[in-house]
Amino acid sequence: MRFGFHFLDFNLPDGPASYAPALRATAAAADEVGASWFTVMDHFFQMEQFRTAHDPMLEGWTTLGFLAAVTERVRLGTVVTGVTYRHPGLLAKIGTTLDVLSGGRAFMGIGAAWYEREHKALGVPYPPVAERFERLEEALRIIRQMWSEDEGPFEGRHYQLAETINVPATLSRPHPPIVIGGSGEKKTLRLVAQYADATNLIVADTDQAAHKLKVLRRHCEDVGRDYDSIEKTVMGPPSNPLEDVDGFLRLAETYAGMGVEHIHLRALTPDPAAHVTAFGEKVAPRLAEIG
């Protein structure tokens, strides 16, 4: 069982001047303890179900560029970029840039977007959910085309590209992994089966995760995709694993038994670097034995 860390809370004791040092130290700690992912949110505002829209939030891809310069091994990405935030051709170029400058350590986390308030506040169009999923599918096709040798046009309902030139190409081969976040059974998991290299499930418990994976398997059968070729990842519990290491490891064993390969955890404040280091000392060696 592999693990990663998600840096989502910028409410640090010393304010904005501490963000860069905290990110640097936490990502370096993730590198040191063997994390496979280090991620940030791609939101304009902090999520209201977590804190408030007035709590601090940095722009995601700029933050990842900073992290590329201060890490060596961990793979970097967003969990996840909303398809409405950037034109997909530009997003593919941004992802390519991160992959090149990180030495081939980028992944593309993408989803249909959901945070209406931040869209309306900053004047970003927020179409109905059906259209957002249509745009997500077209974006996935565009990104895959730009990460291939096909430099031809793209003609979709929502996006039209005259040329899909992307130079330099990504260092990752055949391309950076595409991770679709979310657990919607009719649309999201179908798109995972069709286009993604990994799924990042957001579930309440192991029973729900098992159900979602069964749905994903059916979608794979429907579209002729090898179910085992998709990496299964899951967002870990919001609680601190260090408070009940044995309980967390039992949870990880259950996930591993259903085919989950990666569990993604919060880098907890007020000292996220110390939290990651402690996880590496107390949990990571035992977690590596699972699976």
Side-chain angles (χ1 to χ4, degrees), residues 29 54-55 68 73 116 139 144 153 177 180 192 205 243 259 270 284:
H54 288 90
D55 281 286
R73 295 175 293 277
E116 184 175 10
R144 285 165 60 104
I180 297 178
V192 171
D205 52 42
E243 294 176 350

Side-chain angles (χ1 to χ4, degrees), residues 249-278:
L249 292 169
R250 287 193 296 270
L251 174 68
E253 287 177 344
T254 302
Y255 278 133
M258 62 182 69
V260 172
E261 305 159 66
H262 178 274
I263 189 165
H264 204 45
L265 303 158
R266 294 180 181 178
L268 296 176
T269 53
D271 190 346
H275 171 75
V276 170
T277 297

Side-chain angles (χ1 to χ4, degrees), residues 125-146:
Y126 186 71
V129 63
E131 181 179 331
R132 298 202 306 276
F133 274 99
E134 290 173 2
R135 288 179 178 271
L136 176 57
E137 181 159 12
E138 288 190 17
L140 289 163
R141 292 167 55 200
I142 290 166
I143 292 166
R144 285 165 60 104
Q145 182 168 323
M146 288 187 65

